[in-house]
Amino acid sequence: MAKQEANTRTRRFACDFETTTRNEEQCVWSFGAYDFTSGEYYKGISIEDFFDFIEGEDGEEKILYFHNLKFDGSYILNWLLRNGYTQVESEARQKIKPYEFTANVDEMGSWYSINVNIGDVQVTILDSLKLLPMSIAAIADGFELEIKKGSIDYNKERPKGYIPTAEEAEYQYNDCWILGNALKKFEEIVGSKPKTTIASTALKDFKSIIGYKKFNEMYKNKLTDKIDNDIRTGYCGGLCYLNPDFKEQLLTVSSIDVNSMYPSIMYDYYLPYGTPTLIYPTSLELDEDKLYIVKINGRFILKDGKLPCIQHKTSRYGKNKYVVDSEVNIDIIRPLEEVKLILKHYEVKDLRIKYAYAFEKENENFKLYIQKWYDGKTKAKLEHNSSLKIICKLFLNSCYGKFGAAQTTTKKQFYLNEGILRGVDAYTDEDCMLYLPVAMFITSYARVKLVKTAQKIHEQGKFIYCDTDSVHFIDGANLDGIEISNTKLGAWDLEESGVVGKYLRQKTYLHKDGDKYECKCCGMPNECKKHVNFDNFNIGETFNGKLMYRQCKGGAKLVETTFTIK
């Protein structure tokens, strides 16, 4: 590849494709690209026009953002593969030769980036949805932009060579302008250009706050593969549980939730660092100068009157199942405080402490990070600065998850099968592991806090449901001993009071406050939720309005189907 000049500039664009919906062979009938530094706007009426645009002048690098790369990227990869480009594994842009590209798409179908060399010009294509996880309409409203999301007839017949109307052209310009100005505000508030995702951008900010040298000394390369493997099965997310006594009933409900649960844990609690020491304790009364991840074994039987808190997740999107009686001896590996909570809730037969890892602890690093963004959130509320509030909330909630990233991630290799884009799990990225114990302790502390609060209400016979940072209960429960505040970090906020609710399963419930319904149903699109009421909110009920991806020749198509509550 020719060496590029030192003065090569990189231009950044917010982009959008408008595509046909009524044909088996899909095509782009309009593209837009808004340079959110200069304000220049480019447009065309085909995928070929798009690639003519991105090739640009020799040496002019481009970074292009699409809001939902999974959709628009399918058209890009179709064109590349049809035109002789070869997918390579390397993510290092300097190694990409002309007519090569990389596609960072994981085994779960999450699209992150495409890098391509076109005419010796490096082009990076990113998913802005990974930075701003909300719709274009929500961005326009949340960032209080003067231009709002519009609409057009998406199903209109548009043959190849179709010329957009003035209304259609304005609609697409507005979408690009909204996204571009939101990204520009993002950069102004953060003070630097973002990385690929909000989580990686937040981690970068955390490193800069505590110092890269300190970060590396405390967290980088501190776990062997064996240590990570030993403890990873104990890494769980938020606890979600529905009391079966109240399933499918109409109830008068109140709810409380924690003001910034995970950020408050990061601010208030001790967290681990460094390489742990493997120990073989004979009891759980351990030196308080350390933090511990403990592996125990036994048969676990839930005590009368106690909420279950040992979860087994059946699938990524499935329900958590909770142990009532394990029937056989099983291993449990959790941070020490959660192990002690489990022993309060379960009778354990044949209890054995198999081993523990002892960690050094500190409570200053994350406090600095959380303080920065919590102060920003407070300032945003005082100044009624909606865009600052959104970004501060994103940074408060996005940093910890990078610590729990998997050791390896499988990436997809793409090909065309009879002209239709297909992907197969092909190669592994092994440079993903950061420092799992931080994420383990944050989520564990949160589960302990949630269960202790839910248990207090359960002992009154009023507990209905809990999920990660919220507890729902029959209206009128006694909240004495539970810190209630709508502003204090880590306190419980009385979120709802006296609403009517119906609960079907985990992450599936319906509330009605006055005449307004609020539906929470994992996987149900908003269009389906418009048709939900107490009469039809039932297991097995089917609703129209769900759109699903279908790969066709040329690119992806959204096909209307139904959603069934299962």
Side-chain angles (χ1 to χ4, degrees):
M1 184 173 82
K3 185 177 180 180
Q4 295 185 355
E5 299 297 324
N7 62 354
T8 297
R9 66 171 180 163
T10 300
R11 301 179 66 188
R12 291 167 300 133
F13 295 85
C15 302
D16 178 59
F17 287 163
E18 294 300 330
T19 63
T20 54
T21 61
R22 300 179 63 180
N23 306 326
E24 281 304 307
E25 185 166 350
Q26 297 298 101
C27 70
V28 173
W29 60 265
S30 182
F31 92 84
Y34 176 79
D35 184 329
F36 53 90
T37 300
S38 70
E40 295 175 272
Y41 183 67
Y42 301 82
K43 60 183 179 179
I45 60 168
S46 67
I47 190 74
E48 290 76 19
D49 287 351
F50 170 74
F51 277 96
D52 287 343
F53 153 71
I54 64 173
E55 184 171 357
E57 299 175 6
D58 185 40
E60 182 185 71
E61 295 188 2
K62 291 183 176 69
I63 297 175
L64 312 177
Y65 287 95
F66 284 87
H67 208 62
N68 191 5
L69 187 59
K70 181 177 181 179
F71 181 83
D72 302 272
S74 69
Y75 288 83
I76 293 169
L77 293 192
N78 260 275
W79 189 93
L80 292 173
L81 291 169
R82 288 200 313 269
N83 285 274
Y85 284 75
T86 301
Q87 183 178 349
V88 294
E89 292 185 16
S90 174
E91 283 289 330
R93 290 171 56 191
Q94 66 270 21
K95 295 181 180 178
I96 300 176
K97 301 174 183 178
Y99 284 91
E100 289 184 346
F101 71 93
T102 67
N104 185 2
V105 180
D106 68 21
E107 69 270 27
M108 302 306 298
S110 294
W111 291 57
Y112 295 93
S113 64
I114 300 169
N115 290 312
V116 59
N117 186 323
I118 297 181
D120 223 8
V121 174
Q122 298 289 339
V123 179
T124 301
I125 304 170
L126 301 172
D127 188 359
S128 51
L129 197 59
K130 300 293 189 296
L131 286 172
L132 298 171
M134 60 195 80
S135 67
I136 292 292
I139 289 173
D141 293 338
F143 280 72
E144 297 180 330
L145 301 175
E146 55 265 36
I147 293 178
K148 303 300 181 184
K149 170 77 174 175
S151 63
I152 56 172
D153 180 359
Y154 301 102
N155 294 316
K156 177 181 174 181
E157 185 72 44
R158 295 179 176 93
K160 192 170 183 178
Y162 174 81
I163 304 299
T165 66
E167 177 190 13
E168 291 165 344
E170 181 182 23
Y171 163 84
Q172 187 168 48
Y173 171 83
N174 288 350
D175 275 7
C176 295
W177 185 95
I178 290 166
L179 178 58
N181 278 274
L183 291 169
K184 186 176 181 180
K185 280 195 174 188
F186 183 102
E187 293 181 2
E188 290 170 352
I189 291 170
V190 175
S192 63
K193 292 180 175 59
K195 294 180 76 67
T196 304
T197 67
I198 184 62
S200 56
T201 306
L203 180 63
K204 174 187 172 184
D205 189 65
F206 173 70
K207 291 178 180 179
S208 71
I209 288 172
I210 71 167
Y212 287 88
K213 181 180 179 182
K214 184 176 182 181
F215 178 90
N216 291 338
E217 288 173 348
M218 298 181 76
Y219 304 113
K220 189 174 181 180
N221 299 324
K222 298 302 177 183
L223 302 182
T224 64
D225 287 345
K226 181 183 184 307
I227 294 172
D228 188 272
N229 288 332
D230 281 350
I231 66 177
R232 187 165 288 278
T233 55
Y235 179 38
C236 306
L239 188 146
C240 182
Y241 179 72
L242 170 61
N243 185 346
D245 292 343
F246 294 116
K247 183 178 180 180
E248 300 179 341
Q249 299 181 33
L250 283 182
L251 308 163
T252 303
V253 177
S254 293
S255 67
I256 54 176
D257 65 9
V258 176
N259 298 317
S260 302
M261 173 69 98
Y262 289 162
S264 69
I265 299 294
M266 295 160 74
Y267 187 88
D268 288 327
Y269 288 68
Y270 281 98
L271 293 170
Y273 70 91
T275 301
T277 301
L278 179 62
I279 62 173
Y280 297 92
T282 57
S283 83
L284 296 177
E285 299 307 316
L286 301 173
D287 182 357
E288 293 183 0
D289 290 338
K290 307 282 187 181
L291 293 176
Y292 303 90
I293 293 175
V294 182
K295 186 172 187 176
I296 60 174
N297 178 274
R299 177 182 172 184
F300 295 81
I301 304 169
L302 187 66
K303 296 178 181 178
D304 290 342
K306 294 293 187 180
L307 289 173
C309 54
I310 302 175
Q311 54 189 354
H312 289 295
K313 194 162 188 176
T314 55
S315 71
R316 186 183 183 210
Y317 299 106
K319 298 184 292 183
N320 289 322
K321 291 189 175 180
Y322 290 88
V323 173
V324 174
D325 183 345
S326 64
E327 297 183 349
V328 297
N329 287 9
I330 60 172
D331 289 332
I332 299 292
I333 184 162
R334 298 285 192 276
L336 178 59
E337 187 176 348
E338 189 172 3
V339 168
K340 290 182 176 181
L341 177 73
I342 289 170
L343 296 181
K344 287 181 179 178
H345 282 241
Y346 289 84
E347 177 189 350
V348 185
K349 296 183 177 180
D350 304 320
L351 176 64
R352 287 192 302 139
I353 305 169
K354 300 183 80 169
Y355 60 77
Y357 281 102
F359 295 83
E360 299 297 328
K361 65 180 185 178
E362 64 80 34
N363 70 340
E364 291 298 327
N365 290 345
F366 289 95
K367 185 170 290 187
L368 296 170
Y369 174 85
I370 296 301
Q371 190 69 61
K372 171 185 174 178
W373 293 106
Y374 201 76
D375 286 349
K377 183 180 173 183
T378 302
K379 178 184 177 184
K381 289 181 178 179
L382 292 173
E383 297 177 353
H384 304 288
N385 186 335
S386 181
S387 55
L388 176 60
K389 181 181 177 181
I390 288 172
I391 290 168
C392 288
K393 287 181 70 175
L394 286 172
F395 274 82
L396 282 168
N397 290 299
S398 299
C399 181
Y400 90 92
K402 289 295 289 182
F403 286 86
Q407 290 175 285
T408 59
T409 301
T410 302
K411 302 296 178 64
K412 289 192 177 294
Q413 184 81 22
F414 288 93
Y415 63 97
L416 293 179
N417 180 8
E418 298 182 351
I420 297 175
L421 186 69
R422 302 298 185 204
V424 60
D425 294 346
Y427 63 97
T428 300
D429 180 358
E430 297 184 351
D431 189 27
C432 300
M433 184 171 66
L434 186 54
Y435 191 75
L436 175 63
V438 162
M440 282 188 71
F441 273 87
I442 291 170
T443 56
S444 176
Y445 285 138
R447 289 191 297 272
V448 170
K449 183 171 184 171
L450 183 75
V451 171
K452 286 182 175 180
T453 301
Q455 182 63 36
K456 288 180 180 179
I457 297 172
H458 184 54
E459 289 169 2
Q460 304 172 42
K462 292 181 177 291
F463 167 77
I464 301 171
Y465 177 82
C466 64
D467 185 2
T468 308
D469 63 353
S470 64
V471 178
H472 300 211
F473 48 90
I474 300 296
D475 199 41
N478 185 348
L479 302 181
D480 289 350
I482 300 172
E483 185 178 24
I484 303 295
S485 169
N486 62 358
T487 58
K488 184 179 177 182
L489 182 68
W492 293 87
D493 179 22
L494 184 59
E495 183 73 10
E496 295 176 297
S497 180
V499 302
V500 181
K502 183 178 180 180
Y503 297 75
L504 301 184
R505 56 175 171 81
Q506 294 168 36
K507 298 186 182 298
T508 306
Y509 61 88
L510 182 65
H511 283 183
K512 186 179 183 183
D513 188 0
D515 295 327
K516 183 180 178 181
Y517 282 103
E518 181 180 13
C519 179
K520 301 291 185 181
C521 183
C522 185
M524 179 184 279
N526 288 334
E527 187 62 31
C528 297
K529 292 178 181 178
K530 295 177 182 179
H531 309 294
V532 173
N533 55 53
F534 285 133
D535 291 332
N536 62 19
F537 188 63
N538 302 300
I539 299 293
E541 198 77 34
T542 297
F543 299 88
N544 294 321
K546 179 181 178 180
L547 297 175
M548 63 178 293
Y549 284 92
R550 177 183 163 196
Q551 290 293 343
C552 303
K553 289 183 178 180
K557 180 180 182 180
L558 294 176
V559 179
E560 186 165 337
T561 183
T562 59
F563 176 86
T564 300
I565 302 175
K566 296 179 180 178

